[in-house]
Amino acid sequence: MTSPAVSSRDLPHPVRDEIRLEGVLHALSDPMRLRIVRELATASGELSCSHFDLPVTKSTTTHHFRVLRESGVIRQVYRGTAKMNGLRRDDLDGLFPGLLDALLDAAGRQAVRGG
Amino acid sequence: MTSPAVSSRDLPHPVRDEIRLEGVLHALSDPMRLRIVRELATASGELSCSHFDLPVTKSTTTHHFRVLRESGVIRQVYRGTAKMNGLRRDDLDGLFPGLLDALLDAAGRQAVRGG
DNA sequence: ACCGTACTACGATGCCTATCGTACGAGTCG
DNA sequence: CGACTCGTACGATAGGCATCGTAGTACGGT
């Protein structure tokens, strides 16, 4: 099978109008979460949590994904045992045109610079 | 007299290459600090700390300005008894082109939306 | 039914931070 | 000098948060 059905377990997401700029910035001000978002941006599509190899425990990884979801940066959905993650590009671009691209570009430049 | 001399008291600022994206985002993720930066952006020029009428005490205001300065978002200089504040536009635009404008635009849209 | 994988929940810990109040220093003006 | 304004320093406090470990749940495959 290629793609297990979406589970009935659902996760609370803010609707578009509930997304706050301060929350987004706070979510992205953590190096680990910025790294996650950068990886999600390059891989156009959904990625499972376990795809990420972060230098923290799984508990902490769960925590970071929750912060990203609750701030409105990513959307999460269960698919089988996996939890798939995707950037909320449409919502973010709709609310804050150009912001996400500027942030990703900034993060990319800093990475090149050495960070 | 129109503009008192700059005092010998000087304040530590990060040089351009020391400015970290995470630090900038963290600085701007606080509503009070975002408000300060928005006001600084509209008033092209320097503003004294006392120009701002924030719903917090003066101690707290000092704290927020320090966070903004240490993260590289603003530059501060003493001029007489006043402490003048200015956005580090050149440095930020040099490091992260388009980011500051995107952030200010995003903050503006959210303010219109009701925030 | 059983096992393994993926992720969660909960509690603990230590650090960071937004806030305040009070007391103080630096500068200007009379 | 003295009074006043602007901003700082320091301590306290309360809440937030990044991290961990352990124990547990949900799902898929055998």
Side-chain angles (χ1 to χ4, degrees), chain A residues 3-55:
Chain A
S3 168
V6 171
S7 160
S8 59
R9 296 184 276 174
D10 59 334
L11 300 152
H13 289 77
V15 299
R16 179 187 286 203
D17 283 6
E18 286 169 353
I19 298 178
R20 303 288 306 170
L21 178 59
E22 297 89 327
V24 171
L25 298 184
H26 172 249
L28 298 181
S29 71
D30 181 277
M32 221 57 74
R33 292 194 290 260
L34 187 55
R35 177 167 160 177
I36 291 171
V37 168
R38 273 185 13 103
E39 208 160 331
L40 279 176
T42 61
S44 58
E46 292 180 328
L47 293 178
S48 71
C49 289
S50 58
H51 169 271
F52 297 83
D53 190 27
L54 303 174

Side-chain angles (χ1 to χ4, degrees), chain A residues 28-95:
Chain A
L28 298 181
S29 71
D30 181 277
M32 221 57 74
R33 292 194 290 260
L34 187 55
R35 177 167 160 177
I36 291 171
V37 168
R38 273 185 13 103
E39 208 160 331
L40 279 176
T42 61
S44 58
E46 292 180 328
L47 293 178
S48 71
C49 289
S50 58
H51 169 271
F52 297 83
D53 190 27
L54 303 174
V56 290
T57 64
K58 282 203 298 178
S59 318
T60 305
T61 301
T62 297
H63 162 70
H64 285 310
F65 276 105
R66 183 172 45 225
V67 172
L68 286 171
R69 168 169 48 83
E70 291 178 346
S71 67
V73 176
I74 67 172
R75 194 172 293 280
Q76 296 190 292
V77 64
Y78 281 103
R79 212 180 302 272
T81 62
K83 197 182 193 175
M84 306 305 292
N85 305 276
L87 267 187
R88 291 182 67 173
R89 261 195 187 281
D90 291 353
D91 289 323
L92 293 174
D93 287 346
L95 283 171

Side-chain angles (χ1 to χ4, degrees), chain B residues 84-98:
Chain B
M84 306 306 292
N85 305 276
L87 267 186
R88 292 182 66 172
R89 260 195 188 282
D90 291 353
D91 288 323
L92 292 174
D93 287 346
L95 284 170
F96 311 123

